[in-house]
Each structure stands twice: as structure tokens, then as C-alpha cells.
């Protein structure tokens, strides 16, 4: 099994989640994070609202899903397509990391292995 | 006694008291989440401590005309005992006890205003003592000088402080400078306010409560109160809009916190003028407040000289108050002040008197606030500042054993 | 002048002004977290802009009986100058300036109500201009027609709009439809309100402030005010409970937001009737409002025709207002209206007059609001809507440079 | 009628009504985030249900002197019909309808107070019915006995319950015990309040609203109202500070929630005494309340006997109310009560009468509340408690279909 | 070392954490997430509270703990037992993922390796 | 590529993030968590503020960054140095976990591999 961790723009979250489901993903988890990559942050008002300050990192959403090995390419491309903004994509659209998962257990049944994520 | 006046003054007293929790939320929203409880409590506990001080001796020091060598009022009203059933002895057209209650709400919010200078690091126990000392040695005397029969209120030319430009705002503003200097900078100042809705909530409560503050300072439900009401709203409105426009010009965005601050700046500046200028005067005062306070915050004037007046108390209440006091001398309307009016009418009397009042307040409050805090800092077991690790962890957990928000799966 | 009346009207004015931040929180809680600052600011800044417009020329256009060809009032009260010290010239038993202040609070909240239709996407700078134009060209004339001496208030049969069913709610409700149409749908509408406690806070402040709105519209501390007070509360109460029960019947759950909306619907509907019906009438009006507005929201009537009136302003204020206006004609109690009463007493006069008032308000406000927005949309550099990417990112960051909540380890 | 009195009583009524949402936030902040909507709604819906009950029959049962065998008032005021235009028939110097409105706000908050005992698990639909029954069978009779002409108010010696120590606080406090017993413990009680700012907001609104509660109970804008106002504030202030100091002594930290609770305890205790003691009496009462309620909470007295009175309603309102009622008998000031004063003046009359009032209230409310809840628990389809899985998931989602806060990237 | 990532019902969090401690786990981290698996979401009110809408994903808690290899079975079964609701377990009770951790460092001491998690 | 997961004190977050940037890290993500390790929690007021209760776990920040293999030591030591409080370090300063990342994709460009994190 593989773990896919995708960092995407918060406003893209629903779109990406729908794309994942369309791609056959059965389960996912997501949460709010703050992140920095190539994107250079944002100007925000500080103190009593008289001047701007630079904030390096931005709100993002982390989407995590564990999938069978075979779904890797389909899942990654569905994320890329659904998370990309504009035709060309833009800085800040996000990143996807893939890693190995050794085991999975479904709590309700105690069932183990790949079937728990299919 | 006139029941209409009593009704309005009871209402006004409640409205002004509501301002202190309003301030709590304004300040509370501006700090970081890990210090929100502490920031709220600085204001909230003032409703406790300052009320007691006021009832026991503060009111007497401020309003008993049996003067104490000119420094403060006398001690005849200790415990409010003698005024309990008095009617009009203080020269107001309402029960004396109601005067004491109304004025109490000013003695509560004034020290609470100062706390914006030292949020996120000031020791709460020391603060409790500071409240007692400051109301006694700074607030009460200045209040006496301006309103209780003392020298400032009796200046030739006619000092005009309708609802507390000097007594409340300049007083708190300069004390904030002293406090920021003595308590020192925050170790880590944060960037963004943690809860803008709370700032807006606080500003809204302040705006509404300020009708009690200013229109209540007429002491009656009469035409002067109505003028004060309209001027208060007008100045707040134009100062808020002015800030919005300046914000847009300089940054292309309109800060919500800035708009809220603008409204407060307008309210501060119109305070000494409320019942003594016309609507045009209120517009001018509010416009000036919006511009002055915006640029004071924009250029971080105190930060430039190394002071961490964290929530810009001096820029808003100090400068806003000074502008308001002087502007009252400029725009006073003779028909309302029963005099020759302000500078615009060629009468410098009010302006000069108010200038003296400003300088005296800055000097006295600045110095005595400094001394009080300096001494508290040196007393073993007290001290102004929490430890570095407590500050890092957040003052809420370390001083109050609480976290503002708990959104923890385990709870 | 009677000080009791002045006391109550000062209080009422403060109460009504408090409703606008109440609305800010009601609306602010309903949107998504990334748009909360913007939503709060749409209401808050109305306290700034509309106040200034009102003081400068709005009040004159609405209440100066030197009529402007019947379209609006005259210009004699520009800058409030001439009414400053007037007493009772406007026919109220309080200082004229207090009438202006009280009425101002209505001119503030009415455009703020509209903003529920276009939250999360309307350009803030354009909105500032919209506020000026809308108060001038829509609010002031309608106010003049109904209350300032114009044709609606003088209809045969006797138009009854106690506190603003037409002037405020129908007016805002239909303008919301025009705005929703012109600004277009949100790109992504979200599912849940982001902060239910804020919705409840807003509803509570609205409920309390509405006592100023309705009981204050008696213009005096008298029996009519007391009736308006009790009716206001009664209608809000029964509409809230009605919504709760309908919610339970249809879904098995009782939405807190729904209960709050129900209360507001009851308050809207009782507004034109407040001082002119008995308690039984208030119960009937509140019950009807709960049912009508619940089903209007339940069936998403505007969404069905493709309009994204995001916070259902039309369903609640438009329909609630129309129901209230007609119901006033039905349930008017002769003893209070000093007439033959409403339809229930066999007198159709009030009903017909109110029907005309409803139609006129829908037509005029709908058309002129549409024109104003249409023109603003076309003016280069303005336009109604923020860019797609700004909307996606959230309007708080893009238009205000702020995030509502920061709970970021790094700050 | 005196317009000043009317003005103040209209204001007071609005202030007291505001207390119920204040309580909603106080309680709402104390629970866990997943139960905040429910906790808010228990209070908010009381503004709906209790208002209707009051208007329809509650007021009549409580205040119509055509007594119902001494158990309650008569039925003449059903629907408020007959009192609509009455002036002073109830013996107050304001329109009778205003008396009904003012008293209504008490009938709303009293059952809302009870909800603190059973938050996070009480079935909302059953609660709606409980509200109807409890206001009818518990609140109205006790109110009648004390204030409506019944036996408690007529006790020899002179029962003194200025603003509802027995009628409101002891009544709610003991009903909370019955409710906590019957509904049973929470499955998982959580550790920390989820939103301390909401607790502070609630406490602030309660404090301000209490001026309407106590000073409004004078029924007029007069010297008694002023006394009640000052005493209310003084007791709240000293109780808050007392709690702060005890908190510091025992834990080295000063709980913000504790300070807020202290203020409420002081307000509770001074309620029966407000217009009948001097400032010294208020100080004593507040001090006592701070100490008694702090230790009751500190030692978790009810938890020790196995009761999960979740938000300590009995410790604060029950014990605070009992202390206040007895203390009124101790510190009553003859000049204000028009009698020989309290125990301190050697007159035991008031003390004994109040003691009887306390015992009677505890007994009647305890028993009848128990019966009502016991019966509701047994009725098929009702029952007091939500299912275990609903409780685990959080009552907001399960009973209200809502989550308090949504900060979800997907929305 | 192994990383255990367990997604559980929020209301079970304390129970699971206590079970982990009882099983000898020395450290853990947890945070709020939103997730979807077999469970089909929940009905929530939308807009002004007049009608229900479907929300696919639900609030869950992510519990993460790094443990020595040998504790794997004990830890997993302690989670399964403490997180399961009802006798049979139910949809939505959660999932446990296991993966490899290559290194661990304790910040305070700079100490590295398995001893940091024992 | 390696994934570094560092749990640090919340108040140290900015310092650590600046140190990461100084060490050449190009991207990171962080979020609020609650955690327990050797540190023994904190006393908090419970109920209506009359007495203290023990809370086992404390607020912490999770910082996650994916880096090329070669940067491992530099990154870990920059975290250790910037996250440590006091000269000696203290209980609660945090922990760092290292694991393998198999693939990375930049959403905007579709680019894959180590270059996405350099
Ligand atoms: N090396 C990394 N490790 C961890 N998170 C990263 C890394 N690089 C990027 N991210 C996350 O991805 C988000 C988007 O990255 P960003 O550089 O803005 O996009 P892009 O590189 O595609 O233009 C960042 O805000 C951050 O949360
Ligand atoms: N494949 C997966 N990848 C990531 N998270 C998952 C996955 N499957 C389930 N989850 C998480 O576990 C939670 C519980 O899963 P759910 O399907 O509801 O339970 P179960 O499958 O045991 O009935 C989900 O809400 C989600 O957060
Ligand atoms: N084995 C572990 N698995 C997951 N998280 C851990 C583990 N050990 C520690 N942590 C996280 O690191 C934080 C700091 O750990 P702590 O033990 O307090 O520091 P230290 O061990 O360096 O003194 C904890 O609060 C927890 O969030």
C-alpha cells in the first residue's frame, strides 16, 4: 500500500476530494495546515490595522489517503488535474508525496491488509 | 428629582460599564490566541478592583469638594456613606449616588485602557495592586482637578472636557507609554491579530457604550445629551471611513481592524467635545482623528523609539485624546458652551485652557504612573513581568491555568 | 420637552444602532471562515458611511417637508444645521436632532441587510459607493414617502408601517434580489455556517435591539411603546418556536440557526404592526412569519430560479416584510390605530393601503437598486465582483489583508 | 404615568432579556465544543417558549390576585387581554403590560439557569415540554407566593426578596439538583471549558443585564433603583475579586472562568438584597458569596455525592441564592426597608421570614421539579436523555444537525 | 521503529490514549482531522437552517505514535480494542496504518534511535 | 527523499522555520497538534474555575518537510539547535522522526522527483 500526502490550496479541497472518489479512492483524511514552498506568502495587516507585514507561509490543506499500489498513477494524476489552477498551473498549487505503508487495520472488524483500503 | 434624567443616567451607567468588556474583546482579539484569557482578564478584573476602590475611597478623592490641599478631593464620601441618599448636592440633577456610579464606570475603563501597552507579559498579581494604586494616585486626582472642583476645571478661559478627553484618554495614553517602557518589549511579538471578529465585537460594544459615556456626561436627558449623542456617532463614523480610505490608498486593502481602530479614534477625539460642538465640528474632529491616529499607527511611531506599546494605546488614546482636547478648543460652539466659542470664532480661551490641561495630564500621569510601576517592579515578590518561559508558553496557561480555546479531540 | 421620552429615545437609538453589529455577527457566522471579516465589515462600515450620508443630506431628503417634487424631502436640513436646536418641529415629542439620530440607525441597518445577498464576493470599494447611492436614491425617498410626509403615508385608508416593514425590510429584501441577480452566484457555496455561536449572538443582539426599533418607533415612553415592546417579543418568540417545530417535523432535528432565523422572521413581520395590534395579533403574525419564512428557506425558492441570495435575505426580510405589512392590515386593532381596525374587523382600508405600499416599495426599490448596481458594475475600475482567484482564496485575505482567525503555531 | 419610570422599565426589560443570551454564552463556553450549539439553544429557546407561556397564562398565574386556592394567581389575565391598557392596577407606577413584560424576562431566565445541570445530554424535544410545565407549575406559583400576593410575600416579619433570590436563583438551583439526579452523569465529562472568551462575554452580559434585573425591580427610576444599581455592582465586584484571591491562594493561578463565576455569585447573592441594603451590606454579601460559592465549587460538593450538576448551578445559584436571602435578613437597612432593619439591627423578622421563604422554595421547587422530570422521563417517546451514541458523537450534530464551528478546508 | 497512524472517532480519543499508555507507549501526538471511509457522512443544516444537506466527511482524530518494532502487535490491538464501539464494531470506528521510521532524535538531548521512543 | 517530522514547542515554531530556511529547506508544512512524551502535562482549571485538573498532553506544533537525502544531517541539527530551550535542553523540547519518501510531484508543473523539493 502507498500513502499519498497531497498539500493543496484550501479552496480546492472539495474538488480534489471529489476527484479522488471518482478515481476509486475509498477513504481519505484531511486537515488544515500552514505551508511554504515556492510561493512567497502574503501581506497581512498587523497590530491595529495601520500597516502590512509579510507572512511567509499560507493556509493549505493536507489530504492523506492510503491506496493499493496499483492505484498510484491514477490517484496522482487525478490530484494534479483537480488541484491545478489555471491552464498552466501556478505557484502554490501544491505538492504530492508518496511513501510506503506496511500495514493497515480496520478497527471495526480487525481486518488487515490491502482490502481495508479498497 | 426628574425621573427622565434618572432613567437616562441609569442607562448610561450601564452602557459605559459595558464598554470595559467591549475593550476586553477589542484587545483580546488583537493578541495571540495563547494570551487571550489574560488580555480579557486585565479589563474584566478592573470591573472588580476599580469598583471597590471607587466605592471605598476613590469617589471621595475625586469628587468631595472638601479639598485635600488641592491635590485631590476630601475624605467625606468615604464608603459612599454620606452621599447615599443625597440628591443634587454634587450639583447634578440626579441622586448623588448615581453620580458616583456613573463616574465609577470611567474609573474602571481608564486603567483597563492602559493594559493594551503591556499585554502578553504583565504579571497579573502585580496588576491587581497597580489597579488600586493607579486609580488612587493618578485617576482620582486628575478627575478631581478637571471635574471635581480642582484647578484644571477652573482655569481662566474655560477648560472644556465634556466626557474625559484628558481624564480618561490622555491619562491612559501616557500611562501606557510609561508602562511600555518599564515592562519592556515582548520576546516575540506575533504578526496577526488572532481573532478579528472579537475586535469588531469589541469595537461595536465600545461604540454603543460610548453613547453612555458622552451623552451620559450631559448628566441629564436633554438637548445637550442629544448633541453629544449625534456628535459621538458622527465622529466615529467619519474616522472609521477615513481610516478605510487611507488603508486603501496605502495598501490597496481595507483592514477591518483598521476600520474598528478608526472608529475608536474618532470616539476618543470627540469625547472632550461631545456636547460642545456642532455636527460640523464633530466631522472635523473625527476626520482629524482618523488621519492622525492612522499615521501614528502606520509609522509605528513608538516602535521606532524602541517602545512596545503593544496595542498602540498611545497612538489611539494618547494622540487621539490630545487632538480631541485641542480640537475642542478650536471648534467649540458658543451656543452650546455658553461662551465666545472656540478658535474658529476667534476665542483662544478654551484652546489655551485645554492645552494646559493636556500638558498637566501628560506630565502628572506620565510621572506618577512611572513611579508606581517602577516601585512595583522593585518590590520583591512582585515585579512587572512574568518569566521568560511563562511568556513563551503563553500567559494564559502560566498565569491563569486556562487556554482560551480547546478544540481537542481528547476533551 | 419630556425627559422620559428623551431618555427612552436616546436608549432606543443606541439599541437600534447595536443591531447593525448584531447583524454583522448573524451574517458573519453564516458564511465560511475565510470570508468572515468581509461579512462583518459590510455591516460595520455601514455605521460609518450611512451615518455620514444621513447627517449630510440623507435626513433632509427623507424628512424635510419642503418636498422635492414629491420624490423626496427638501434640502433644508442639509448638515442637520437647521434642526440642531429644534424641538418638536418634526412633530415628535423629542428634540428634532434626536429624531434624526433615531432615524439614522434605520438608514444604517437597511443597506446592511442587503449584503446577505452578495457576501463572499462583492467588491468592498464598490460597496462603499453603493452605500452612498443606495441610501440617497432608494432609502431616503421611500422613507420620505412612508414617514416623511410623502404619498404612501398619506394614502386613503391609512397606511400602517409602525417601524419599517416597507421602508426597511421589503426595501432591503427586494434590493437583495436585484443584487443577487447582478453579482451572480458564488463559485463555491460551502455547506455549513462556520460559526453557529456567532449566529446566535447576532440573533440575540438583533432581538434586544429590535425593542429600540419597534418600541422606539412610538417616539415616546408611553403605552404604545409598551405594546410595541410586548408584541415584538411575542412575535419573535412564537416564530422561533414555530421554526423549531417545523424543523423537527421535517428533519427530526432542530437547527439552532433555524431557530435564530425564525426569531428574526418574527421580528421582521411584527415590525410594521408593533404598536397597532394586540397580543393575539402579534401571535398570529409571528406564527405566519415562522411558517412562511421557514418554507421559503426550506424550498430554496430563489435558488430554484437560479439566484444565489446567499443568506436568504429575500426569504426572511422580503417575504417576512410583505407578510407583516399585509398582516398589519388584517390584524390592526382599532383601539390602538384610532381607526376601524383591520380586515378582521371588516375594515379593508389599512390592508389596501398597505398592499399599495408593498407594491410601490417592491417596484421602486427593485428597479432603482438594479439600476444603481448595474451602473456600478459597468464603471471601469469598479465592478461588483472580486476576481475569481480572490474569491477562491477568500475575500478576507484578498480585500482586507486579514484572516478572521489565526491559530497558527508560528504566531 | 411617569414617563421616566416607563423609560427606565422599558430599558430594564430589554436588559434582563439580554441576560438570557448572556447565560447562553456563559454556559456555552463552559461545555465542550461539540455541544456548544445545544447549550446555547437551551437558553435561547427559553426566550421563545417561556415568552409564549407567560403571555398566554403564566403571567396570570403569577400576578392575578384572584387567587387560585392560594396555589397560584387567578386566570383573569389570560392572554394578557384584560391588562392591555391598564395603568397601575397591579400597584406599580407603570402600565400593567410593562409589568408583565418585565416579569416575563424573569420567567425566561429562570428555567434557562437550570440547564447548566444537564448540558451535553438532555433531549431537546423533552426540554421544550419541560419549559412549558416548569414555568407553569413551579415558576408561576412561587412567583405568585413571593410577589403576586401569595403567602410568602405576606409573612409576618416581612419577607424581603427584592429581585428574585428565592423566585429565581434558589428555585433554579434546587431544580438543577433534581435534574442532575434524574438525568444522570455525563458519559465523559471533559476537562476544560472549550471557549473561555465566551464565558467572559456571557459574564459581562449577565453583569450589565443584572442592572435591569435588580435596579429595574425598583419598578421606577428613583433612589431605590440607584441603590440597587450600586449594590449590584459592588457585590459583583467584590465577589469577583474574592474568587480571584482564593484562586491564587489555592493554586497560584487566577482562573478567568473563576473570576467570571465569582462575579455571577456576587450578583446572585445581592439579588434579594439589592434595594434594601447599604453599600456596606453589599460588600458583605458579595464577600460572602465569593467565599461560599468558591469553596462549593472547589470541593465539588455535589460531585462528591454522585451528582453531575455539570456547570455547578446549585453551587452558584442555589447556595449563592440561599446566602443572599439570609444575608438580606441580616443586613437589611431600615431606612430603605422602612422597617427595623436586619439582624445587625437586632430585628430578626426579616431573617426568619426569609428563612421560611428559602425552605419553602427549596421544598416546593425541589419536589415539583423532580415530579415533572420524573414523569417526562417515563413518557414513551420522550425521556430525559439522548442515546449513548448521540451523546458520544456530540449533541450538536445529533439533536441539532449542526456543528458549532466549521474550519474545514472543504467548506 | 514503526509509525502507527490511527484514525479514530473524536469521542474515543481519551480512551485510546489511555490504552496506549497502558500498552507502554511513551509518546504520542494527535490532531483533529476530517475523514471519509466506508461511513457515509452526516446530514447537516445548511444556509439559514431550513433544510439539510449531506456532508460526506466527518470529524475524526488522528493519533500518531512512533514505537519500537516489537510493540507493534500490542499497540495495534490496544487501539482496536479501545477504539471499537459496540460489541461488533461499527462503520466509522477508524483505521490504523503502519509504516517504517528510519530515525528519531530527541531535541532536548540530541539522543538518537529507538531509545527516544521507549 | 526523506520526510522529516519534527514536533516542537509552539512558541518555537517561527524560530525553527527560520532555521530550516537558513539550512536550505525550500518547503515545509506545519500544523497544531497535541502531544505527550516525557513531559507530564499541565494543570488546568476545570468546570467553573474552582479547582485544577491534570491535562496529560500539551499543545505542540508538527513541522513536516520533505528534503533530499543529502540534507538530512544539516536539517536535523538545525532543528535541534533552534528548538532546544535553555542551554541543556529541557523535557518537552520535542522530537524528530525521519522516514523515506518514494516520490514527489509538483502540482503546478507535474514535475516529479527530488527536484521538486530542492
Ligand atoms: N518540501 C516540502 N515539504 C513539505 N511540504 C512542502 C514542501 N514543499 C511544498 N510543501 C507544501 O506544499 C505547499 C505548496 O507548495 P508551493 O511551493 O507553494 O507550491 P509549488 O511548489 O507547487 O509552487 C506549501 O505551502 C507547503 O505546505
Ligand atoms: N484509505 C484511507 N486513507 C486515509 N484515511 C482513511 C482511509 N480509510 C479510512 N480513513 C480514515 O479513517 C476514518 C474511518 O474510516 P471509516 O471507513 O469510516 O471506518 P471503517 O472503514 O472502519 O468503517 C475515515 O473517516 C478516514 O479519516
Ligand atoms: N513516540 C512518539 N510518537 C509520537 N509523538 C511523540 C513521541 N514522543 C514524543 N512525541 C511528541 O513530541 C512531543 C515532545 O515530547 P516530550 O517527550 O515532551 O519531549 P522530550 O521527550 O524531548 O522531553 C510530545 O508532546 C509529542 O507530541
Amino acid at each position: 500500500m502507498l500513502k499519498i500526502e497531497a498539500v493543496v490550496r484550501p479552496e480546492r479541497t472539495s474538488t480534489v476530494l471529489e476527484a479522488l472518489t471518482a478515481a476509486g479512492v475509498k477513504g481519505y483524511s484531511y486537515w488544515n495546515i500552514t505551508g511554504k514552498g515556492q510561493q512567497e506568502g502574503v501581506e497581512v495587516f498587523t497590530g491595529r490595522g495601520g500597516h502590512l507585514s509579510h507572512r511567509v507561509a499560507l493556509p493549505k490543506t493536507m489530504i492523506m489517503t492510503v491506496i493499493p499500489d496499483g492505484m498510484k498513477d491514477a490517484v496522482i494524476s487525478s490530484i494534479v488535474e483537480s488541484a491545478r489552477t489555471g491552464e498552466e498551473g501556478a505557484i502554490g498549487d501544491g505538492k504530492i508525496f508518496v511513501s510506503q505503508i506496511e500495514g493497515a487495520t480496520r478497527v471495526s472488524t480487525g481486518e488487515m491488509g490491502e482490502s481495508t483500503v479498497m | 428629582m426628574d425621573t427622565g434624567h434618572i432613567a437616562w443616567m441609569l442607562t448610561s451607567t450601564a452602557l459605559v460599564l459595558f464598554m470595559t468588556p467591549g475593550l476586553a474583546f477589542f484587545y483580546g482579539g488583537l493578541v495571540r490566541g495563547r494570551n487571550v484569557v489574560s488580555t480579557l482578564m486585565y479589563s474584566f478584573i478592573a470591573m472588580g478592583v476599580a469598583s471597590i476602590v471607587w466605592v471605598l475611597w476613590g469617589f471621595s478623592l475625586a469628587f468631595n469638594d472638601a479639598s485635600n490641599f488641592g491635590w485631590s478631593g476630601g475624605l467625606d464620601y468615604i464608603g459612599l456613606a454620606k452621599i447615599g441618599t443625597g440628591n443634587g448636592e454634587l450639583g447634578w440633577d440626579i441622586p448623588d449616588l448615581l453620580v458616583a456610579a456613573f463616574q465609577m464606570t470611567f474609573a474602571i475603563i481608564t486603567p483597563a485602557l492602559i493594559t493594551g501597552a503591556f499585554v502578553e507579559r504583565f504579571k497579573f498579581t502585580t496588576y491587581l495592586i497597580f489597579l488600586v494604586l493607579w486609580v488612587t494616585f493618578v485617576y482620582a486626582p486628575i478627575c478631581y482637578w478637571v471635574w471635581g472642583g480642582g484647578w484644571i476645571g477652573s482655569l481662566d478661559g474655560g477648560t472644556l472636557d465634556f466626557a474625559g478627553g484628558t481624564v480618561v484618554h490622555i491619562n491612559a495614553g501616557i500611562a501606557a507609554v510609561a508602562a511600555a517602557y518599564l515592562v519592556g518589549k515582548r520576546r516575540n511579538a506575533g504578526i496577526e491579530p488572532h481573532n478579528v471578529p472579537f475586535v469588531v465585537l469589541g469595537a461595536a460594544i465600545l461604540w454603543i457604550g460610548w453613547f453612555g459615556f458622552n451623552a451620559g456626561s450631559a448628566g441629564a436627558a436633554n438637548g445637550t445629551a442629544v448633541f453629544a449623542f449625534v456628535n459621538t456617532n458622527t465622529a466615529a463614523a467619519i474616522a472609521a471611513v477615513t481610516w478605510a480610505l487611507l488603508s486603501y490608498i496605502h495598501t490597496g486593502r481595507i483592514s477591518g481592524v483598521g476600520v474598528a481602530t478608526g472608529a475608536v479614534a474618532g470616539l476618543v477625539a470627540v469625547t472632550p467635545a461631545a456636547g460642545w460642538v456642532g455636527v460640523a465640528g464633530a466631522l472635523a474632529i473625527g476626520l482629524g482623528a482618523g488621519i492622525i491616529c492612522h499615521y501614528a499607527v502606520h509609522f509605528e511611531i513608538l516602535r521606532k523609539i524602541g517602545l512596545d506599546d503593544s496595542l498602540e494605546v498611545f497612538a489611539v488614546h494618547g494622540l487621539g485624546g490630545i487632538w480631541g482636547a485641542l480640537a475642542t478648543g478650536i471648534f467649540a460652539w458658543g451656543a452650546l458652551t455658553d461662551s465666545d466659542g472656540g478658535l474658529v470664532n476667534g476665542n483662544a480661551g478654551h484652546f489655551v485652557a485645554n492645552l494646559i490641561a493636556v500638558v498637566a495630564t501628560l506630565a502628572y500621569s506620565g510621572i506618577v504612573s512611572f513611579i508606581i510601576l517602577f516601585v512595583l517592579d522593585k518590590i520583591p515578590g512582585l515585579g512587572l513581568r512574568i518569566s521568560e518561559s511563562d511568556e513563551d508558553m503563553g500567559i494564559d496557561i502560566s498565569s491563569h491555568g486556562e487556554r482560551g480555546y480547546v478544540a481537542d479531540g481528547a476533551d
Side-chain angles (χ1 to χ4, degrees), chain A, chain B:
Chain A
M1 284 164 292
L2 295 173
K3 170 152 80 165
I4 308 292
E5 289 168 296
V7 181
V8 302
R9 295 182 189 272
E11 64 266 24
R12 285 280 152 160
T13 310
S14 328
T15 321
V16 176
L17 296 178
E18 280 159 28
L20 284 176
T21 301
V25 165
K26 290 282 179 289
Y28 52 73
S29 305
Y30 59 92
W31 58 95
N32 297 324
I33 65 163
T34 310
K36 190 192 127 26
Q38 288 185 341
Q39 216 182 354
E40 271 311 309
V42 70
E43 302 297 305
V44 292
F45 281 99
T46 189
R48 277 185 92 151
H51 56 100
L52 291 173
S53 207
H54 186 68
R55 178 164 276 287
V56 174
L58 286 176
K60 298 277 169 188
T61 301
M62 168 74 79
I63 300 173
M64 187 273 258
T65 178
V66 176
I67 52 167
D69 292 7
M71 288 175 65
K72 178 176 162 185
D73 293 346
V75 165
I76 290 182
S77 64
S78 82
I79 296 175
V80 167
E81 274 155 37
S82 57
R84 203 180 263 178
T85 59
E87 301 257 308
E88 305 292 304
I91 276 185
D93 279 354
K95 244 165 231 176
I96 308 171
F97 303 115
V98 183
S99 54
Q100 286 288 345
I101 285 287
E102 204 170 286
T105 309
R106 191 189 299 278
V107 170
S108 55
T109 56
E111 167 195 358
M112 303 186 86
E114 245 186 34
S115 68
T116 59
V117 298
M118 287 181 76
Chain B
M1 304 240 97
D2 184 296
T3 59
H5 295 340
I6 296 178
W8 172 237
M9 292 308 293
L10 285 167
T11 306
S12 288
T13 307
L15 282 171
V16 186
L17 196 63
F18 200 25
M19 290 173 70
T20 296
L23 183 71
F25 276 83
F26 197 113
Y27 281 179
L30 288 173
V31 300
R32 279 166 298 165
R34 75 175 80 117
N35 301 317
V36 62
V37 174
S38 156
T39 306
L40 293 171
M41 278 297 116
Y42 288 139
S43 290
F44 194 84
I45 201 70
M47 294 168 69
V49 177
S51 290
I52 299 169
V53 171
W54 193 253
V55 163
L56 291 182
W57 65 81
F59 177 68
S60 196
L61 290 181
F63 282 93
N64 177 215
D65 61 8
S67 160
N68 231 327
F69 311 105
W71 172 72
S72 77
L75 302 176
D76 287 358
Y77 297 156
I78 286 271
L80 302 186
K82 292 217 186 120
I83 63 151
T85 49
N87 271 332
E89 279 176 39
L90 294 163
W92 297 51
D93 202 12
I94 51 172
D96 296 337
L97 195 59
L98 184 48
V99 178
F102 181 66
Q103 288 294 336
M104 175 186 69
T105 60
F106 288 62
I108 289 168
I109 197 167
T110 309
L113 286 170
I114 304 170
T115 65
F118 55 61
V119 289
E120 311 195 306
R121 60 202 188 282
F122 202 94
K123 207 167 169 179
F124 199 71
T125 42
T126 305
Y127 173 66
L128 296 179
I129 301 168
F130 170 74
L131 276 173
V132 175
L133 299 178
W134 197 85
V135 172
T136 308
F137 294 109
V138 181
Y139 186 80
I142 293 183
C143 185
Y144 172 74
W145 297 350
V146 178
W147 291 333
W151 70 275
I152 294 184
S154 331
L155 284 171
D156 283 353
T159 321
L160 295 178
D161 188 356
F162 193 76
T166 48
V167 178
V168 174
H169 296 287
I170 302 177
N171 191 355
I174 191 70
V177 175
Y181 176 77
L182 283 169
V183 76
K185 293 190 197 186
R186 283 168 292 176
R187 282 168 59 76
N188 167 2
I191 298 175
E192 295 174 75
H194 93 283
N195 198 317
V196 176
F198 281 176
V199 176
V200 175
L201 177 65
I205 295 175
L206 285 170
W207 188 323
I208 305 304
W210 225 293
F211 293 128
F213 207 88
N214 286 359
S217 288
N222 59 15
T224 305
V226 175
F227 257 103
F229 195 111
V230 171
N231 288 335
T232 299
N233 190 71
T234 302
I238 194 160
V241 173
T242 301
W243 197 298
L245 297 179
L246 293 174
S247 182
Y248 186 70
I249 291 169
H250 286 285
T251 68
R253 270 152 270 186
I254 295 182
S255 160
V257 170
V259 170
T261 301
V264 172
L267 292 162
V268 166
V270 82
T271 296
W276 287 325
V277 298
V279 171
L283 284 168
I285 290 173
L287 181 68
I291 295 172
I292 292 169
C293 298
H294 174 270
Y295 284 108
V297 171
H298 185 67
F299 292 121
E300 306 190 281
I301 51 165
L302 283 186
R303 211 146 301 181
K304 290 234 164 69
I305 59 165
L307 290 183
D308 180 12
D309 173 5
S310 312
L311 307 182
E312 318 255 21
V313 183
F314 183 72
V316 177
H317 296 272
L319 292 181
I322 293 171
W323 159 247
L326 300 181
T328 305
I330 299 172
F331 299 108
W333 186 15
L336 295 170
T337 52
D338 203 11
S339 71
D340 294 337
L343 271 189
V344 289
N345 306 110
N347 171 20
H350 296 312
F351 184 84
V352 172
N354 274 13
L355 184 61
I356 296 172
V358 168
V359 173
T361 305
L362 287 172
Y364 181 80
S365 172
I367 292 167
V368 181
S369 301
F370 186 94
I371 294 172
I372 291 173
L373 288 163
F374 187 84
V375 171
L376 287 174
D377 198 20
K378 299 297 174 217
I379 296 179
L382 292 178
L384 302 186
R385 193 151 178 170
I386 57 172
S387 75
E388 296 198 348
S389 68
D390 284 356
E391 186 179 343
D392 284 346
M393 207 185 349
I395 189 167
D396 285 0
I397 274 285
S398 56
S399 295
H400 300 280
E402 286 171 334
R403 294 190 282 153
Y405 316 96
V406 175
D408 185 317
D411 210 359

